[in-house]
């Protein structure tokens, strides 16, 4: 990530000061005249190694002015730290001040603003500010307990400076979550030191009983104002730990969001995935905030997996143990043409698809290939459960064989049940991938409507699946094109019926123009209405905003 992380402190004698900063230095350019990223003289190996990072010492000199102990992080003789990302060759340098004078000015201004005018209510918490000239800043201010300080606390901030405003804003939940871990660790460590010092010599009672004299007040204050962060936390490797934390934060921030070349506007599936990821990150931030940062708050903690399985792709099928379905064509061959069409029809109509089997991997592989029939926004899956889940919670439900199906579900036309039983055969070796020889499939549903007329999308898909001259990859691209075609029809119908509020007669004309009438018209209309539920919030909000803007423009 093209950014810089800095720890800042408001000194009672010298004002806002930068204590410690970490910057990323990219590999040198092939151009021999380039000075960016040149190796630092005097690099030497250190004794510690991080995950994917090699710790080294940095012997570059740092500009230092007159400063007290509270304004100084590393001793003047300390060379600083360098971490090398072995995958990309990027170096992460840490010292009290940036190496380049231009960056020094940018960080200095961010430090002053974060600890003076740019603060959030309560003075503790995150805030965003900046401009195109001096960069954009994500700042999080916080207090550290100190028994000798005025008000028994000192003011600090962690700032992340970058020139890319959009990237920084999109990283807000991620940065907030991990900076809170670092801040909570610093505060909890300093609180223990504070409590121990107060137990030995309570400062509040001492100050109440001391005689205040304007003549000696500056001398009293100057002795208490110069406590370093190392003294407040009693952490012997504080700066090395902060270097690890800041280096990992820069590395993880740069790898979590990547740029992709998109030909045209993003698809609805892409928008829905982005919305779900954003919602998940916000929920995790709220949960961690409610938990108070958790019981463990190390200075360096890698980013855990989000735990979201939005839509399994074909590559994940190889990781599933035991027999599994490899594609829609394979599923069609195993179930048979009629049973596959009945199952696919229920999926496209939005009915609940229930599989009961003792093999969770088999169910997951079936759901993986069946979910490719739907837009991502229409998929709600529970891969394997010990109890029945209602249809409003999931439209794909995997159950163990002994789970009973409620009567109102088994008698409903809006669900289909696939029972998978193991055949009693003796000549099959364990782990054999021949699903037909291992399992027997029984499909049951209370639906009485014919499934052989439509929808049109299923008719075209079956033509592609039955054509053996088309490979599995070609069929997958064919299905992708069919889904995009019908999603465009869904958008038109949503705009016409839901946003504009047209009548039934006008809607019927639109359906005719969209090619949804004729044979299988009822199934086509059901599919379009069901797929409306999978439209992204971004698209719906855009349509409503455009309509309101159009209504206001004539009056203006």
């Amino acid at each position: 990530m093209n950014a810089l992380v800095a720890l800042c402190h408001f000194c009672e004698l010298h004002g806002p000061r930068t204590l410690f900063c970490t910057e990323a230095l990219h590999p040198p350019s092939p151009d021999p005249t380039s000075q960016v990223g040149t190796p630092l003289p005097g690099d030497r190996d250190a004794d510690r190694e991080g995950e994917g990072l090699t710790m080294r010492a940095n012997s570059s000199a740092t500009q230092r002015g007159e400063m007290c102990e509270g304004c100084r992080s590393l001793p003047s003789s300390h060379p600083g730290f360098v971490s090398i990302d072995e995958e990309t060759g990027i170096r992460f340098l840490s010292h009290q001040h940036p190496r380049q004078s231009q960056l020094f000015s940018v960080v200095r201004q961010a430090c002053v603003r974060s600890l003076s005018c740019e603060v959030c209510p309560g003075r503790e918490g995150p805030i965003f500010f900046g401009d195109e000239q001096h960069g954009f800043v994500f700042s999080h201010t916080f207090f550290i307990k100190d028994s000798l300080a005025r008000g028994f606390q000192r003011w600090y901030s962690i700032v992340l400076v970058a020139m890319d405003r959009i990237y920084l804003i999109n990283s807000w939940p991620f940065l907030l979550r991990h900076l809170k871990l670092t801040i909570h660790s610093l505060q909890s460590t300093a609180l223990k030191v504070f409590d121990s010092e107060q137990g030995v010599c309570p400062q509040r009672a001492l100050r109440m009983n001391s005689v205040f004299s304007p003549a000696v007040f500056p001398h009293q204050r100057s002795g208490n104002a110069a406590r370093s962060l190392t003294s407040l936390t009693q952490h012997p490797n504080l700066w090395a730990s902060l270097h690890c934390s800041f280096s990992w934060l820069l590395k993880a921030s740069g790898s979590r969001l990547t740029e992709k070349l998109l030909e045209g506007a993003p698809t609805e599936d892409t928008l829905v995935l982005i919305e779900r990821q954003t919602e998940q990150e916000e929920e995790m931030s709220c949960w961690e905030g409610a938990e108070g940062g958790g019981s463990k708050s190390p200075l360096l903690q890698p980013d855990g997996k989000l735990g979201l399985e939005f839509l399994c792709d074909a590559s994940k099928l190889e990781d599933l143990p035991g027999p599994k379905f490899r594609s829609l064509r394979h599923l069609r061959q195993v179930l048979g043409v009629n049973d596959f069409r009945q199952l696919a029809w229920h999926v496209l109509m939005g009915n609940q698809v229930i599989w009961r089997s003792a093999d969770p991997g088999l169910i997951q592989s079936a759901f993986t290939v069946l979910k490719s029939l739907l837009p991502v926004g229409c998929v709600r899956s529970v891969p394997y459960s010990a109890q029945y889940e209602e249809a409003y919670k999931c439209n794909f439900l995997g159950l163990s064989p002994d789970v009973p199906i409620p009567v109102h579900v088994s008698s409903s036309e809006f669900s289909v049940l696939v029972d998978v039983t193991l055949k009693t055969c003796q000549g099959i070796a364990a782990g054999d991938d021949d699903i037909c020889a291992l399992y027997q499939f029984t499909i049951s549903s209370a639906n009485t409507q014919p499934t052989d007329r439509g929808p049109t999308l299923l008719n075209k898909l079956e033509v592609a699946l039955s054509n053996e001259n088309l490979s599995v990859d070609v069929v997958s691209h064919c299905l992708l094109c069919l889904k995009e075609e019908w999603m465009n029809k869904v958008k038109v119908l949503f705009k016409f019926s839901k946003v504009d509020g047209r009548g039934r007669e006008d809607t019927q004309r639109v359906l005719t123009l969209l090619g949804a009438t004729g044979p299988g018209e009822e199934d086509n209309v059901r599919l379009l209405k069901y797929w409306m539920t999978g439209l992204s919030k971004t698209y719906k909000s855009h349509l409503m905003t455009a309509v309101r803007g159009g209504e206001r423009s004539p009056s203006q």
Side-chain angles (χ1 to χ4, degrees), residues 364-384:
Q364 187 174 349
S365 67
F367 287 171
T368 298
V369 297
L370 287 173
K371 286 189 289 187
S372 64
L373 295 171
L374 296 176
V376 176
C378 294
V379 174
R380 302 181 310 280
S381 176
V382 176
Y384 206 69

Side-chain angles (χ1 to χ4, degrees), residues 366-425:
F367 287 171
T368 298
V369 297
L370 287 173
K371 286 189 289 187
S372 64
L373 295 171
L374 296 176
V376 176
C378 294
V379 174
R380 302 181 310 280
S381 176
V382 176
Y384 206 69
S385 175
Q387 61 182 7
Y388 173 76
E389 300 289 347
E390 293 293 340
Y392 70 88
K393 293 182 179 180
C394 58
N395 55 338
F396 291 95
L397 175 61
L399 299 174
S400 56
D402 55 345
V403 177
I405 304 298
V407 178
H408 72 277
V409 176
S410 58
S411 60
S412 172
E413 61 177 323
F414 301 109
S415 64
V416 59
L417 174 63
V418 181
D419 275 313
V420 184
T421 56
L422 188 64
K423 291 184 178 179
T424 56
C425 49

Side-chain angles (χ1 to χ4, degrees), residues 318-365:
E318 301 300 328
D319 300 331
L320 297 177
K324 53 184 175 292
F325 295 104
R326 299 183 296 271
S327 63
L328 283 172
R329 176 174 287 170
H330 183 212
L331 180 64
R332 186 170 183 261
Q333 293 171 349
V334 172
L335 298 182
V337 176
N338 294 332
D339 285 346
F340 172 80
R341 181 174 182 95
Q342 180 184 1
L343 183 62
W345 183 88
H346 281 280
V347 171
L348 292 172
M349 294 298 103
N351 297 337
Q352 188 178 39
V353 178
I354 308 172
W355 281 60
R356 282 195 303 194
S357 173
D359 187 353
L362 181 69
I363 295 179
Q364 187 174 349
S365 67

